[in-house]
Amino acid sequence: MVFLTSLLQGWRRGTFLMLSSCSFLQIRGHSSRSKKSNRVRVLVDMDGVLADFEGGFLRKYRATYPDEPYISLEDRRGFWVSAQYGMIRPDLCQKAISIWESKDFFLDLDPIPGAVTAVKQMVNLTDTDVFICTSPIMKYDHCPFEKYAWVEKHFGREYLEQVVLTRDKTVVSAHLLIDDNPDISGAEPNPSWEHILFTACHNKHLLLKPPKRRLHSWADDWRSLVSSGRH
């Protein structure tokens, strides 16, 4: 917890700590595509892939605003929850945003079924580097701290070394990125990683054109995806 407190203080001072070790320098300083190595680097998104953002949001939204209309998980469309709520009524957009800006929202999210076990198994694969790559919200009062605390709570303190906080995932070098956001863009127009779309309630209706691929759940064959990144 001392580590997490120091992290939050550094964040508020403007020190953008991407990783808690020098391994971040390796990500930015060297290409992940090495002809001499069969090693694969996998980035795993957090919200919607490891942590149940959608389920946690809906529960807290309905508890906070019991008299307001809501969107069931079956009816969710589009990555941005607030945008869909704003289509119902403009003021609901800000009410939706207030939910994930509130204290303990990120910390209290349940793990996606099978996520913790799968990532722990992935980490133990030979020649495989796994990082939890997540984008904090701009209102940083609680989010960055709680993301680290969530990882420590569900994975263990040793996994804090594997956390990458960034608003732009395109600048992080890897072979694979498993993420539920169908449209990831940033400063790098041609990211080094292949984007594997993790199926979520808001993107399950999307039809992907080859060679784009999905991971439907953590019960799906994620091992084959990781192996494909070695080629």
Side-chain angles (χ1 to χ4, degrees):
M1 192 57 70
V2 173
F3 170 82
L4 293 177
T5 301
S6 299
L7 170 68
L8 185 58
Q9 290 172 346
W11 185 278
R12 284 173 170 164
R13 288 195 303 267
T15 305
F16 205 115
L17 182 63
M18 301 291 290
L19 274 177
S20 56
S21 74
C22 293
S23 52
F24 173 59
L25 299 177
Q26 181 182 3
I27 293 178
R28 292 296 299 274
H30 294 80
S31 171
S32 64
R33 302 288 183 180
S34 174
K35 296 180 180 179
K36 297 181 180 180
S37 174
N38 198 36
R39 199 165 192 86
V40 65
R41 181 181 299 149
V42 184
L43 306 177
V44 183
D45 180 35
M46 190 168 176
D47 300 322
V49 177
L50 299 180
D52 186 9
F53 181 96
E54 294 279 348
F57 167 81
L58 186 57
R59 284 192 301 272
K60 192 163 186 177
Y61 177 87
R62 295 190 66 183
T64 306
Y65 303 111
D67 298 325
E68 296 288 14
Y70 66 91
I71 300 168
S72 68
L73 297 182
E74 291 74 19
D75 292 329
R76 275 282 293 117
R77 295 292 185 274
F79 181 73
W80 300 106
V81 181
S82 54
Q84 191 174 3
Y85 273 79
M87 293 175 66
I88 299 175
R89 205 175 68 223
D91 65 297
L92 294 183
C93 176
Q94 188 54 49
K95 286 187 175 181
I97 293 172
S98 73
I99 297 301
W100 58 74
E101 288 183 342
S102 63
K103 188 176 185 300
D104 293 334
F105 173 77
F106 288 96
L107 181 59
D108 290 343
L109 295 179
D110 293 329
I112 294 286
V116 175
T117 297
V119 169
K120 286 185 175 181
Q121 291 174 349
M122 193 184 301
V123 166
N124 288 323
L125 293 177
T126 302
D127 292 331
T128 305
D129 297 320
V130 182
F131 293 90
I132 298 172
C133 188
T134 181
S135 297
I137 64 174
M138 294 293 287
K139 186 177 174 59
Y140 56 81
D141 302 59
H142 312 297
C143 178
F145 176 88
E146 290 183 13
K147 281 180 175 287
Y148 274 87
W150 190 93
V151 170
E152 183 174 28
K153 175 182 178 181
H154 295 286
F155 285 90
R157 184 178 178 83
E158 64 274 20
Y159 280 79
L160 297 179
E161 295 283 352
Q162 309 308 119
V163 176
V164 180
L165 291 183
T166 178
R167 294 284 298 174
D168 187 348
K169 297 178 183 180
T170 70
V171 301
V172 183
S173 179
H175 298 90
L176 301 172
L177 168 66
I178 302 174
D179 201 301
D180 66 308
N181 185 352
D183 300 305
I184 300 175
S185 60
E188 175 53 62
N190 298 300
S192 60
W193 37 255
E194 176 192 355
H195 178 196
I196 305 297
L197 184 65
F198 191 87
T199 298
C201 60
H202 61 81
N203 69 33
K204 62 184 179 182
H205 63 290
L206 297 178
L207 297 177
L208 301 185
K209 295 181 179 179
K212 293 185 177 181
R213 299 188 287 172
R214 277 186 183 270
L215 181 62
H216 292 284
S217 72
W218 287 110
D220 202 0
D221 188 9
W222 57 265
R223 292 176 183 270
S224 292
L225 287 175
V226 172
S227 295
S228 71
R230 301 184 193 281
H231 305 303

